[in-house]
Amino acid sequence: MSHPQLSIVIPAYNEGARIEAALERVTSCVAAQGWDAEILVVDDGSKDDTAAIVQRWMENYPRLHLVQNPGNKGKGYSVRNGLLQAAGEIVMFTDADLSAPMEEAERLIAALAAGADVAIGSRWMDRTRQTIHQPLYRQFFGRCFNWITRTVMNLPFKDTQCGFKAFKRPAAQVIFRLQTIERWGFDPEILFIARKLKYVVREVPVTWGHDERSRMSYLKDGLKMLEDMAKIRANSLVGRYDEAIAAMKDTSTMVTAPVEHVTKVSAEVR
């Protein structure tokens, strides 16, 4: 079987209440757009019926796959696990709430076609594209966190945290092998790694609507992300990323080698 052009990865933890609606919207979009695409739902140790719902849908959608983490590992782990197993020439991830409509993937794909290696959705480049705004306190904390991220990590992007990003396959295979942060703070790390490797990263304004069911706590998770950023800077200062890059080059594993943390696929993804 030939590889698909596009892989869509959806990390999911206890998403039984909305994963079916997400699958309906994504599969409908894929059909309407005529995309040559596979869909991978990464179940992060859900305690509800998320996995059972996906398996039921797989009976009618042969290019829908379920990837199961060995327990609850975090969003960063889930995205990495899915993207490293994805077969597409372009690989992307989107949140299960589809705050950015699936149709907006065309904007990311266009940025990659224009020469980018990485395309990231942005809620803040064009605020007129926000259909449902966050409460003011979430906007405040979000902008503060983004300012700190840009300053500490030297990242020039207006929005590092939008859960809507796409990669050319070779870039994804390298970036995510170097990723070390496995929970909420993984977004700044993968962008930091991409810039370190001199990949072309384009930020693209996307339509976006806030979902009130968001599980992220700006206080608790924000503090953890600050801790993660400190780890990323420390790793960089002591040369851990450089050492890992050199090791990958020395063993010719920049694209093709298996990765230890890729586990428990319940459906064939090749």
Side-chain angles (χ1 to χ4, degrees):
M1 175 185 269
S2 63
H3 288 185
Q5 181 63 25
L6 174 67
S7 294
I8 302 165
V9 171
I10 306 173
Y13 175 66
N14 289 343
E15 292 289 358
R18 56 185 177 184
I19 193 64
E20 195 150 23
L23 292 174
E24 174 64 39
R25 289 168 63 188
V26 173
T27 55
S28 295
C29 178
V30 168
Q33 299 292 332
W35 290 336
D36 174 18
E38 65 173 359
I39 303 163
L40 295 85
V41 177
V42 183
D43 176 32
D44 191 26
S46 297
K47 296 178 174 62
D48 64 1
D49 57 351
T50 297
I53 292 171
V54 176
Q55 288 172 323
R56 187 169 69 245
W57 273 68
M58 286 166 59
E59 296 173 6
N60 296 316
Y61 291 89
R63 301 189 90 182
L64 169 64
H65 313 290
L66 175 66
V67 179
Q68 292 184 293
N69 293 342
N72 179 242
K73 296 292 187 176
K75 183 181 178 182
Y77 185 105
S78 299
V79 169
R80 179 181 64 193
N81 198 2
L83 290 189
L84 287 179
Q85 298 196 59
E89 295 305 312
I90 293 173
V91 296
M92 67 168 293
F93 67 89
T94 183
D95 291 337
D97 61 12
L98 296 181
S99 291
M102 198 64 238
E103 290 78 5
E104 294 290 271
E106 287 281 15
R107 302 173 68 83
L108 302 183
I109 294 169
L112 297 179
D117 300 295
V118 180
I120 65 174
S122 176
R123 298 163 290 186
W124 303 111
M125 286 186 75
D126 182 359
R127 295 189 64 182
T128 65
R129 299 183 69 88
Q130 292 190 20
T131 56
I132 303 175
H133 293 274
Q134 292 177 308
L136 288 177
Y137 79 93
R138 293 185 73 90
Q139 291 187 42
F140 172 77
F141 280 110
R143 298 307 291 268
C144 286
F145 176 78
N146 195 59
W147 178 83
I148 294 170
T149 301
R150 293 174 66 178
T151 302
V152 173
M153 305 291 295
N154 193 28
L155 296 174
F157 312 111
K158 291 183 180 294
D159 189 356
T160 61
Q161 296 305 120
C162 183
F164 199 64
K165 294 180 172 68
F167 309 78
K168 288 180 179 175
R169 177 180 175 80
Q173 288 289 312
V174 176
I175 292 168
F176 284 92
R177 278 174 162 78
L178 295 171
Q179 176 194 338
T180 64
I181 304 300
E182 296 186 334
R183 295 196 177 269
W184 291 105
F186 80 99
D187 288 279
E189 184 184 32
I190 61 175
L191 295 176
F192 181 82
I193 292 169
R195 281 171 54 78
K196 190 172 187 65
L197 291 166
K198 301 190 184 310
Y199 285 126
V200 177
V201 183
R202 293 267 166 77
E203 190 171 16
V204 180
V206 294
T207 300
W208 185 84
H210 174 65
D211 191 323
E212 287 292 342
R213 294 170 294 183
S214 173
R215 296 190 180 98
M216 182 178 174
S217 163
Y218 272 106
L219 183 58
K220 177 183 175 182
D221 295 318
L223 289 173
K224 183 63 173 68
M225 283 191 281
L226 291 176
E227 179 185 332
D228 288 339
M229 280 191 288
K231 289 180 182 177
I232 295 165
R233 293 299 299 178
N235 285 341
S236 181
L237 287 171
V238 300
R240 286 180 183 162
Y241 295 116
D242 294 326
E243 291 172 2
I245 292 167
M248 290 170 74
K249 289 180 178 177
D250 288 344
T251 56
S252 301
T253 61
M254 290 299 279
V255 175
T256 58
V259 181
E260 183 179 346
H261 56 250
V262 177
T263 57
K264 294 191 177 179
V265 185
S266 61
E268 181 62 36
V269 298
R270 286 293 188 272

